Amino acid sequence: YKSITFYGASKISGMIKPTLESHIIELNIKPKESYSNKIQNNVKIEFLKFLRENTPFKKVNDLKKAINSDLNKAKHYFNLKSK
C-alpha cells in the first residue's frame, strides 16, 4: 500500500525504544477484526524517500500541520512515481 511511515523514538518504562507509525494513503481498510492473519503477520516496509528529520513539537497544532505537510509530500511523490 502507498503509505507514509514516521520513524522516531518513544520512552517506555524509562527506556527509549524505536517506533514506527504508518499511515496508509487514500485506502479504506476494514476494521482490525476482519484482517486475516496473513496480512497481520506479513508486513513489509520499504523506505523510498526521506521527507524530513524527526522533530519535537511544542504544540499539537504544529505537529498536525507537519503531518499534513508530510502526507501531501508523500501523495505528490506517489503521483509523480506512477506517471
Side-chain angles (χ1 to χ4, degrees):
Y1 300 111
K2 294 176 182 176
S3 63
I4 184 168
T5 299
F6 299 97
Y7 174 78
S10 178
K11 194 171 185 178
I12 302 170
S13 301
M15 296 177 64
I16 296 177
K17 301 276 186 173
T19 59
L20 289 175
E21 176 184 331
S22 290
H23 298 263
I24 297 172
I25 299 172
E26 297 175 359
L27 184 66
N28 293 321
I29 301 290
K30 295 178 182 176
K32 188 174 180 179
E33 303 81 66
S34 66
Y35 289 173
S36 71
N37 285 334
K38 184 177 181 181
I39 293 172
Q40 287 183 24
N41 297 324
N42 292 298
V43 174
K44 176 184 173 188
I45 296 175
E46 181 179 354
F47 293 95
L48 302 174
K49 182 169 174 62
F50 181 82
L51 296 178
R52 67 172 171 85
E53 290 289 335
N54 190 19
T55 307
F57 294 93
K58 293 181 180 180
K59 297 179 183 177
V60 173
N61 201 36
D62 292 341
L63 171 62
K64 288 179 181 181
K65 286 179 185 176
I67 290 172
N68 265 344
S69 174
D70 295 342
L71 287 169
N72 287 331
K73 288 176 189 174
K75 288 176 187 177
H76 180 73
Y77 172 81
F78 285 118
N79 285 337
L80 289 178
K81 193 170 184 199
S82 65
K83 290 182 179 181

